[in-house]
């Protein structure tokens, strides 16, 4: 692997905007990244999107959303564990610039979750210590730090301001300024097992895509002439639309007024039907048509914090706790009142402080509006919030920080529906109901785990240090888990240990989300690099990196002794087979398993506890519906069909033939195994090997170009012409219905032209792939290839009568049943060739073995 992978880049434009790091501040520090060591450039007006780095993010957001993000300056205030999580995620996301702000100094309890602070940093300013370590994450994003006050002049230079761990007075002051000056605003806070988030993205925010999903489409079978008109889709697949969606129409025959018209709003009537506008005055519907969902911009309005505090709107995070958000809304305000009055937060598990917070909450409740006023406060909940006010937990900060960063990306990109407007979260299930926590057990000890001890007590901390865990995978999820393990002290005590294994090396595209790696780590092993990185975060962590794949081949390494010594396993894998294997091992050894995965903006977690929950393999997704071969080959009608066809085409041309030839040349039992294959497969495999080594073997680059050109004509012209010869556009079925209707869409043959970029791209790609397979030097010189193409001869094609094209898979299977005799004829034919001395010496041995095995 190259240490500097190639990356595609696209130019992006944008208007100039004021850079946050250049705004006035009494104390600020900036990192100059004008000429980064690795050659990366800044984001901004004329910046380029590095597709090699942002490939996975571009898949989710798209280029236009990334462009908008790259022109945004972001301020993040508060560099405790929550603030650094937000900053880390936003910097990796690729905004124009990030300024971190914090007027405070490092305390012992910060080390429970602030992974860029060390024990020797206690007493130093958090912003200044965190700044250089955050700046390493993404050299496209300049990072500045500030320790001054948040003046209005300073705030004016940003498109987004995020406050973490700030006072309510400051939140209100900054929030009002941001709302009146069209600056996006987020408040995030965590208190032990509790989390809070508030979003204000302005008086009129435009969301360009509310869900980020690919637009849906369906094929039409009928449209009524009525008011409103009713559209019926083919009953192969549910249309998936929702009432309020907008759609457009194409390829309708008859009611042509709908084709390419303005998007119309629909009302869903059923899984295959929906109503549209008045169609009573349109032409009569004949047949066909495709309906496509159109993503329409949506305008939403946010209340400023001063109003939203009084008239809150909550989003639910747990439907088993429907009454929690308004209770916590009052509880958080009571905490702010307590801190303002006492100059400190309530002490951990201090009854006097908890009682004062409860009293304040009752007073706030009495003065609240009817929308938030509670008939009865949950006193135990409010007191628990007070007990944990000094708590500082890495996993909770990671969760709330991840949501806050995601909301920031929504605000800046205009993609995905943002949170409206308050989110409250708690994870009180983590508390051991049988454990009696006291103020003494939860008091600070000038330890890096003080923030965690304040929540769970000192006894649990000792147990965490003795744990032995096995982490499988050191990718995006694996890096986050390792960081959290280091922060909570898992395996950081006497007898404790974390073993992480990953057989992969670091690639450039990993750097966008696997935050333990840096550009200079590319080509290094993930597990070793990740282990070294988290040792810097917590030197007491006992972590070992392996480079093994988990599977039957490594059971001598991960044997009975290894698993029996474990306290648990965490999966951070990217495939189902490995997940199921680890699940079987955990079930066998009766070990807890933490399973997780992500897909774009979606994620899942499954906790598997022996004798308490089902295992990972107990439930599986239903198998994906297979696509009929005849549909793929002759009658594709959706993008999924074309993608599967292209994949099959690639494997059939460049993977399977090479695999078969290599096995034939190196494996003595290849022929014996091939002849045992069912049906016509032996004939197909042997014929393919013969063609690869003899009849179709290219001798030079010109042969590769000739093959590519002829294959293009076969696939995109000749085969289609033959299909239309067998089934003309006006063809009728035996029942008198048009053959080309419903899911069958009439194709059109293409005419090759070297001046068409797509045509020439295909030839260059196909010819180079074939050349690489045979060790022939290729070329990507478009002019030279176009010139050579002038001498390529393509045989004139005339559709033939009598060629059978199967309409269904059943029809094709019946035809394949009669291929046995053709296989024998093929063997006789190549045997004659051998007798006459044609071909090469290896082929003679090949034919002799085939004949002996068959007869």
């Amino acid at each position: 692997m190259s240490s500097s992978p190639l990356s595609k880049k696209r130019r992006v434009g944008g208007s100039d905007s004021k850079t946050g790091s250049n705004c006035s501040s009494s104390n600020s520090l900036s990192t100059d990244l004008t000429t980064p060591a690795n050659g990366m450039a800044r984001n901004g007006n004329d910046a380029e999107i590095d597709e090699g780095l942002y490939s996975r993010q571009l898949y989710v957001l798209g280029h236009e959303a990334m462009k908008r993000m790259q022109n945004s300056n972001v301020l993040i205030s508060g560099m405790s564990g929550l603030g650094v999580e937000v900053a880390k995620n936003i910097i990796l996301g690729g905004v124009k610039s990030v300024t971190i702000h914090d007027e405070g100094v490092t305390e012992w309890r910060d080390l429970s979750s602030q992974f860029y602070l060390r024990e020797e940093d206690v007493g130093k300013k958090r912003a200044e210590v965190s700044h250089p370590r955050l700046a390493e994450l993404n050299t496209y994003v300049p990072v500045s730090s500030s320790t001054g006050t948040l003046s209005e002049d300073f705030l004016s230079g940003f498109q987004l301001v995020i406050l973490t761990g700030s006072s309510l007075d400051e939140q209100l002051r900054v929030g009002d300024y941001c709302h009146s000056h069209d600056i996006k605003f987020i408040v995030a806070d965590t208190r032990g097992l509790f989390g809070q988030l508030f979003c204000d993205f302005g008086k009129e925010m435009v969301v360009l895509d509310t869900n980020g999903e690919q637009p849906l489409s369906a094929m039409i079978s009928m449209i009524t002439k009525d008011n409103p008109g009713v559209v019926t889709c083919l009953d192969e697949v549910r249309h998936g639309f929702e009432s309020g969606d907008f759609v457009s129409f194409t390829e309708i025959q008859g009611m042509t007024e709908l084709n390419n018209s303005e998007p119309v709003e629909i009302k869903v009537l059923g899984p295959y039907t929906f109503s549209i506008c008045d169609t009573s005055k349109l032409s009569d519907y004949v047949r066909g048509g495709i309906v496509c969902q159109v993503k329409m911009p949506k305008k939403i309005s946010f209340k400023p914090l001063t109003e939203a505090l009084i008239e809150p709107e909550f989003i639910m995070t747990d439907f088993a706790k429907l009454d929690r958000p308004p209770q916590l809304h009052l509880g958080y305000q009571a905490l702010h009142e307590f801190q303002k009055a006492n100059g400190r937060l309530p002490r951990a598990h201090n009854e006097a402080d908890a009682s004062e917070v409860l009293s304040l909450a009752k007073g706030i409740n009495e003065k609240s509006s009817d929308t938030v006023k509670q008939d009865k406060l949950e006193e135990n909940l409010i007191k628990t919030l007070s007990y944990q006010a000094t708590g500082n937990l890495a996993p909770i900060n990671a969760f709330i920080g991840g949501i806050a960063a995601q909301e920031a990306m929504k605000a800046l990109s205009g993609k995905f529906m943002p949170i409206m407007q308050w989110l409250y979260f708690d994870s009180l299930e983590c508390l051991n109901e049988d454990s009696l926590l006291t103020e003494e057990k939860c008091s600070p000890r000038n330890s890096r785990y003080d923030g965690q001890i304040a929540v769970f007590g000192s006894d649990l901390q000792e147990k965490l240090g003795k744990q032995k865990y096995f982490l499988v995978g050191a990718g995006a999820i694996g890096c986050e888990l390792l960081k959290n393990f280091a922060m909570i002290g898992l395996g950081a005590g006497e007898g404790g240990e974390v073993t992480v294994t990953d057989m992969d090396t670091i690639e450039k595209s990993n750097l966008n989300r696997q935050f333990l790696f840096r550009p200079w780590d590319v080509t290094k092993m993930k597990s070793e690099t990740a282990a070294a990185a988290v040792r810097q975060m917590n030197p007491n962590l006992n972590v070992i990196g392996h480079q093994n794949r988990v599977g039957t081949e490594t059971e001598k390494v991960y044997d009975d002794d290894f698993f029996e010594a474990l306290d648990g396993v965490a999966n951070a894998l990217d495939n189902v087979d490995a997940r199921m294997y680890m699940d079987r091992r955990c079930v066998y050894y009766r070990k807890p398993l933490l399973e997780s995965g992500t897909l774009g903006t979606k994620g899942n977690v499954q906790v598997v506890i022996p004798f308490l929950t089902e295992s990972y393999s107990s439930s599986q997704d239903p198998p994906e519906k297979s696509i009929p071969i005849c549909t793929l080959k002759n009658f594709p009608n959706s993008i999924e069909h074309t993608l599967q066809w292209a994949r099959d085409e690639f494997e059939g041309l460049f993977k399977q033939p090479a695999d078969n030839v290599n096995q034939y040349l190196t494996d003595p039992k290849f022929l014996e195994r091939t002849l045992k294959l069912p049906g016509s497969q032996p004939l197909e495999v042997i014929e393919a090997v013969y063609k690869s080594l003899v009849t179709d073997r290219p001798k030079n680059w010109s042969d590769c170009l000739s093959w590519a050109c002829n294959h293009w004509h076969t696939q995109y012209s000749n085969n289609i012409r033959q299909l239309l010869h067998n089934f003309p556009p006006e063809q009728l079925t035996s029942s008198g219905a048009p053959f080309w209707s419903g899911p069958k869409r009439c194709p059109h043959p293409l005419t090759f032209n070297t001046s068409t970029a797509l045509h020439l791209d295909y030839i260059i790609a196909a010819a180079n792939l074939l050349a690489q397979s045979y060790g022939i030097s290729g070329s990507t010189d478009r002019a030279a290839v176009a010139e050579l193409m002038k001498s390529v001869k393509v045989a004139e094609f005339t559709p033939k009568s009598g060629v059978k094209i199967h309409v269904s898979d059943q029809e094709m299977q019946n035809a394949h049943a009669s291929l046995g005799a053709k296989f024998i004829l093929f063997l006789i034919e190549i045997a004659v060739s051998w007798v006459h001395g044609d071909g090469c010496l290896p082929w003679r041995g090949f034919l002799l073995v085939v004949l002996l095995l068959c007869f």
Side-chain angles (χ1 to χ4, degrees), residues 261-280:
S261 62
E262 291 295 315
V264 296
E265 189 174 358
I266 68 169
K267 180 180 180 181
V268 172
L269 304 176
Y272 308 105
T273 58
F274 57 87
S275 62
I276 53 173
C277 54
D278 182 1
T279 59
S280 58

Side-chain angles (χ1 to χ4, degrees), residues 183-202:
I183 298 172
K184 310 294 191 296
F185 179 62
I186 295 174
V187 173
D189 199 5
T190 59
R191 302 293 171 186
L193 290 167
F194 297 90
Q196 177 196 53
L197 188 74
F198 171 78
C199 298
D200 172 13
F201 298 155

